[in-house]
Amino acid sequence: MSGKTIRLDRLLANLGYGSRREIAILARTGRIRLDGARVRDVEQRIAADPALETRLAIDDEPLDPLPGMILMMNKPLGVTCSHKEAGPLVFSLLPDRWRRRDPAISTVGRLDKDTSGLLLLTDDGALLHKIISPRHQTPKTYRATLDRPLRGDEAAIFAAGDLMLDGEDKPLLPAKLEVLSEREALLTISEGRYHQVRRMFAAAGNHVTALHRVSIGALTLPDDLAEGEFVVLGPAEIARIFVPQTG
Ligand code: URA
């Protein structure tokens, strides 16, 4: 949004701080500060550039991330990547206010309810599209735990580029398997078909008992990001999403 200006009350309403009327009340009661000074005119236009996140404070707290942000979450098991399904949703792990943002935050693709690990969420439609677009083939790496010992031929089956999943008419792109132990492997895929990893192992005669996404491109889930926690990504981390993995 750099270079553009926006009315302060609209910006804050879009970030979920309340209606424009409620924002006016926040200002009247001295709860909005810009560069430390009390803001009285909420109709003023301001440049919505990243510096604003530290210049503007609401109730002495720094402003929420401006639109155009992307989050990395360590998705726990048992939560669904949907806005409307029944049961616990990933969005309930975000602050309440963030769920009222416009543009809304969406997940970048989906992880199954029974899959944990690296999940991206963003309000930036162009960025979302770039990450999930088949044209970009962004690699995603999963650690799969298997019901039965690996046979030894799975890496060749997945790398061949001719594996056909049940009910589909187009073969999968080549995928890379790295065996970690008898029943554990890393699988890197560059598509995002429905239940793809589980269905690939099923096609190879096995069954996935646990699935965890460890990376997207060269962006890896940090060890110190606890389940259910998330961080806002900076430009260098966002760039890592688009760095192809080697080897
Ligand atoms: N493949 C799966 O089977 N499940 C996921 O959640 C992601 C990839």
Side-chain angles (χ1 to χ4, degrees):
M1 291 188 72
S2 128
K4 287 194 205 147
T5 64
I6 183 169
R7 264 176 62 150
L8 181 57
D9 55 357
R10 174 178 288 280
L11 174 74
L12 293 179
N14 288 351
L15 289 175
Y17 284 95
S19 64
R20 300 228 315 239
R21 212 174 133 258
E22 288 164 336
I23 306 295
I25 294 170
L26 284 182
R28 269 209 299 282
T29 48
R31 294 166 62 190
I32 308 179
R33 287 184 177 269
L34 182 62
D35 298 326
R38 189 172 161 174
V39 169
R40 291 169 201 279
D41 174 16
V42 288
E43 294 185 7
Q44 66 181 287
R45 296 189 75 87
I46 45 165
D49 60 40
L52 200 60
E53 291 172 15
T54 47
R55 292 179 60 208
L56 197 63
I58 318 291
D59 287 334
D60 296 325
E61 294 290 331
L63 187 68
D64 288 344
L66 291 171
M69 57 100 149
I70 182 159
L71 309 172
M72 168 168 56
M73 178 186 279
N74 183 356
K75 178 194 171 294
L77 296 174
V79 295
T80 306
C81 294
S82 158
H83 272 291
K84 38 182 189 272
E85 276 171 48
L89 308 178
V90 286
F91 301 102
S92 59
L93 299 168
L94 302 178
D96 270 359
R97 184 168 61 235
W98 293 25
R99 290 189 262 152
R100 295 193 295 268
R101 289 170 66 112
D102 178 14
I105 299 174
S106 308
T107 63
V108 179
R110 286 178 172 216
L111 287 178
D112 301 336
K113 189 172 179 184
D114 299 331
T115 301
S116 57
L118 199 171
L119 178 70
L120 299 174
L121 300 104
T122 186
D123 60 0
D124 183 334
L127 184 58
L128 184 150
H129 180 74
K130 186 171 171 197
I131 300 168
I132 65 171
S133 142
R135 206 159 56 83
H136 285 94
Q137 299 187 2
T138 308
K140 296 165 283 272
T141 300
Y142 296 83
R143 189 177 63 238
T145 309
L146 303 162
D147 196 27
R148 288 180 279 284
L150 287 152
R151 294 186 308 233
D153 58 352
E154 294 87 350
I157 293 173
F158 296 158
D162 58 7
L163 181 63
M164 198 76 94
L165 294 179
D166 265 358
E168 299 203 358
D169 54 12
K170 202 170 154 235
L172 292 174
L173 291 173
K176 184 179 151 219
L177 187 80
E178 190 187 327
V179 175
L180 299 176
S181 69
E182 227 187 18
R183 284 188 168 79
E184 210 175 21
L186 294 175
L187 178 61
T188 302
I189 61 175
S190 50
E191 298 168 279
R193 301 204 202 173
Y194 182 66
H195 287 178
Q196 182 169 337
V197 173
R198 293 175 201 273
R199 290 164 74 209
M200 286 174 74
F201 279 105
N206 214 320
H207 174 72
V208 171
T209 55
L211 192 59
H212 181 80
R213 183 154 67 192
V214 294
S215 58
I216 298 180
L219 179 72
T220 300
L221 194 64
D223 289 339
D224 59 358
L225 189 65
E227 280 188 10
E229 286 189 353
F230 59 87
V231 285
V232 179
L233 297 184
E237 289 161 310
I238 296 171
R240 292 183 68 75
I241 298 169
F242 302 104
V243 174
Q245 288 158 306
T246 51

